[in-house]
Amino acid sequence: TRQATNLMKVTLEDGTSFIGTDTHPIWSIDAQDWRRVDELEEGERVELVEGAISVGKLQDNREASDVFNIEVD
C-alpha cells in the first residue's frame, strides 16, 4: 500500500465510476490494446468483467489516497 496523488475518476456510461492511478492499464476495445487511464477518451469503449461499456467522463482526482497493487497470474 502507498499514498498516491496521480488519481483519475472514470465515470462510465451507466453512471458507475471508479478511481485509479493515471497509469493503471485498462483494455480498450477501440484501440485493441491496453491504455493508461490518462490516455482514455470520453466515448471510448473499454472491456470490463461484465462486458463492453463506454467511458462517459474523465476527471482528475489529485486528493491523496491509499492505493494497493495486486498481480493476477
Side-chain angles (χ1 to χ4, degrees):
T1 217
R2 66 179 172 88
Q3 286 276 306
T5 57
N6 62 325
L7 303 173
M8 293 191 73
K9 180 178 181 180
V10 179
T11 303
L12 304 170
E13 67 181 337
D14 66 359
T16 61
S17 64
F18 63 89
I19 296 174
T21 58
D22 56 9
T23 59
H24 186 84
I26 302 288
W27 183 257
S28 168
I29 295 169
D30 296 338
Q32 286 295 293
D33 201 1
W34 293 99
R35 295 193 28 149
R36 294 167 38 135
V37 168
D38 64 356
E39 296 174 333
L40 295 175
E41 298 177 10
E42 292 179 5
E44 185 169 355
R45 292 178 307 135
V46 295
E47 185 74 34
L48 303 180
V49 171
E50 299 85 9
I53 194 162
S54 294
V55 173
K57 186 174 183 181
L58 298 162
Q59 299 169 279
D60 281 336
N61 184 11
R62 301 300 176 183
E63 186 176 314
S65 180
D66 286 338
V67 295
F68 303 88
N69 289 325
I70 63 167
E71 290 186 27
V72 179
D73 189 23

